[in-house]
Amino acid sequence: MKVYRFLFLAGLLFCISESIAQTFITRNGTIRFFSETPLENIEAVNRQVSSALDAETGEFVFRVVMRSFSFEKALMQQHFNDNFVESHNYPNATFQGQIPEIGEINFNSDGEYEVTVEGELTMKDVTRFISEQGILRITGGNVMGESIFIVRPEEYNITIPSRYARNIAQEIEVTVNVNLTPR
Amino acid sequence: MKTWIKFLIAAALVFLTAGVFVYIFVYNKPHKDYEKASPDFELTAEELYQAFIADRSEAESLYNGKVLQITGQVDEVEKIDDLVIVMFAFSEGFFGKEGIRSTMLENHHEEALNLQPGDDVLIKGFCAGFSDSDVILEHCSFP
């Protein structure tokens, strides 16, 4: 009887540790950015974003291939890659951070949580600390994450030539959407 | 009509034509037609993946932004929302199977979804780069 009790407890502990140490991932998250000026609005979408969330530690990362940003106008896409982010020299951008409120999230039942996402965003070899608000939705064992924040190109060594200055906003709205599934 | 008026009209027409030309062929130039584009490189899927694993920097300068035509055996086909991705797997890592993820053009979705694991395929697409786990091919088609 003692053996059965031991096996039951060991099994239970294994299940709990497995559920706590759960990691959620996607390789097709979405990042959009939007620039609004009186002359024109520019939007780009990247649907090849790799992202992971550790449900135990709250560690959250995403990796972006810069050439996967798709623009409506081919010319703008060309300028973005060749002149602004120089994707031939800096092909990736990364975010590595934390969700401090991770302990308050129950991943085993559906719910919605307002969270803080803080960490280091790296683009063009420039790393800056950011702290933004986001939403995590737990639905059927999956995690949908959304955050909208502002990026200033000049802070990431992205220089907009004066001839385009009136077409591109100094503050770019970035929207991150990830639908993470258990690994 | 006075000569200077004729000159003004001619100059205005030249500027107008140049403006229309710039608007259509420069400002509004169409995206590259990757389905019709000639490949810059032809290689096997495994050669492409191993190139990024062996020397990422060199592979990035060689293949990123280029049209590639690859051959290989399909590992699986994923449908994620309206994306159809043909996967070639060569390794196992944090994100599961790792290799080449080829996002198909919409008019090739049906053919891609009919593929079975192990099928030999020839795929042409735009190499966007390496995501730390996979080589990303986009605008892919079956030539």
Side-chain angles (χ1 to χ4, degrees):
Chain A
M1 195 64 188
K2 276 183 181 174
V3 173
Y4 287 129
R5 189 181 292 173
F6 171 76
L7 285 174
F8 173 74
L9 282 173
L12 189 66
L13 280 173
F14 176 76
C15 289
I16 290 170
S17 65
E18 278 295 291
S19 72
I20 290 172
Q22 183 75 70
T23 303
F24 295 86
I25 57 168
T26 182
R27 285 191 273 198
N28 284 95
T30 301
I31 291 185
R32 288 172 202 276
F33 68 74
F34 183 66
S35 157
E36 184 177 20
T37 67
L39 277 185
E40 68 175 328
N41 295 338
I42 297 165
E43 188 175 16
V45 184
N46 185 329
R47 299 183 66 188
Q48 306 285 348
V49 178
S50 300
S51 178
L53 170 67
D54 186 319
E56 184 183 10
T57 64
E59 191 182 353
F60 178 62
V61 296
F62 63 76
R63 302 164 179 163
V64 184
V65 173
M66 297 305 275
R67 279 188 194 274
S68 288
F69 276 105
S70 170
F71 291 70
E72 185 192 345
K73 287 191 168 64
L75 183 67
M76 184 49 71
Q77 191 162 320
Q78 187 184 325
H79 284 315
F80 173 80
N81 283 305
D82 296 349
N83 308 122
F84 303 161
V85 298
E86 297 175 66
S87 52
H88 48 286
N89 290 326
Y90 310 99
N92 299 80
T94 59
F95 173 81
Q96 181 135 13
Q98 203 85 17
I99 296 177
E101 304 95 338
I102 200 76
E104 296 162 22
I105 297 169
N106 181 0
F107 287 91
N108 296 316
S109 68
D110 292 359
E112 186 172 308
Y113 302 85
E114 284 185 20
V115 294
T116 311
V117 185
E118 56 185 36
E120 293 180 329
L121 178 63
T122 303
M123 264 193 296
K124 284 191 85 174
D125 274 357
V126 177
T127 300
R128 294 182 64 88
F129 179 84
I130 61 170
S131 178
E132 307 293 343
Q133 296 306 299
I135 291 173
L136 286 186
R137 284 186 198 92
I138 317 296
T139 314
N142 295 331
V143 182
M144 293 175 76
E146 183 182 316
S147 182
I148 301 174
F149 56 94
I150 298 295
V151 165
R152 292 171 187 81
E154 61 179 13
E155 292 180 344
Y156 292 89
N157 198 22
I158 298 170
T159 312
I160 310 294
S162 56
R163 64 181 182 280
Y164 301 117
R166 290 196 307 156
N167 298 65
I168 298 164
Q170 290 182 345
E171 294 189 337
I172 309 288
E173 184 186 88
V174 178
T175 305
V176 180
N177 283 99
V178 287
N179 189 3
L180 304 157
T181 55
R183 188 170 70 144
Chain B
M1 198 183 288
K2 288 181 181 173
T3 311
W4 67 270
I5 294 177
K6 283 183 188 169
F7 178 77
L8 268 185
I9 292 171
L13 280 174
V14 168
F15 277 110
L16 188 69
T17 311
V20 169
F21 183 85
V22 167
Y23 182 79
I24 294 173
F25 294 104
V26 181
Y27 183 71
N28 257 355
K29 71 173 181 176
H31 283 278
K32 189 170 186 172
D33 186 343
Y34 290 101
E35 206 172 353
K36 289 181 183 164
S38 302
D40 297 302
F41 295 96
E42 294 179 33
L43 66 174
T44 67
E46 185 158 16
E47 282 167 351
L48 176 62
Y49 178 72
Q50 294 303 343
F52 276 89
I53 296 301
D55 189 337
R56 177 173 177 169
S57 179
E58 191 182 319
E60 283 176 337
S61 59
L62 196 61
Y63 298 124
N64 282 8
K66 298 290 195 313
V67 177
L68 309 183
Q69 187 161 289
I70 60 169
T71 51
Q73 277 190 344
V74 174
D75 182 73
E76 62 178 339
V77 180
E78 292 178 32
K79 188 169 189 329
I80 302 167
D81 300 327
D82 59 338
L83 298 181
V84 172
I85 297 162
V86 176
M87 174 81 189
F88 300 90
F90 302 105
S91 181
E92 190 80 25
F94 181 79
F95 284 92
K97 290 174 181 174
E98 297 179 348
I100 299 172
R101 293 175 67 81
S102 319
T103 305
M104 304 306 296
L105 288 168
E106 204 175 334
N107 54 330
H108 293 269
H109 280 190
E110 197 179 329
E111 192 175 343
L113 288 167
N114 284 327
L115 289 172
Q116 299 299 318
D119 282 355
D120 287 311
V121 287
L122 177 67
I123 282 180
K124 183 171 69 175
F126 169 79
C127 182
F130 189 63
S131 68
D132 289 355
S133 55
D134 305 288
V135 180
I136 306 293
L137 293 190
E138 295 185 278
H139 314 290
C140 295
S141 58
F142 300 107

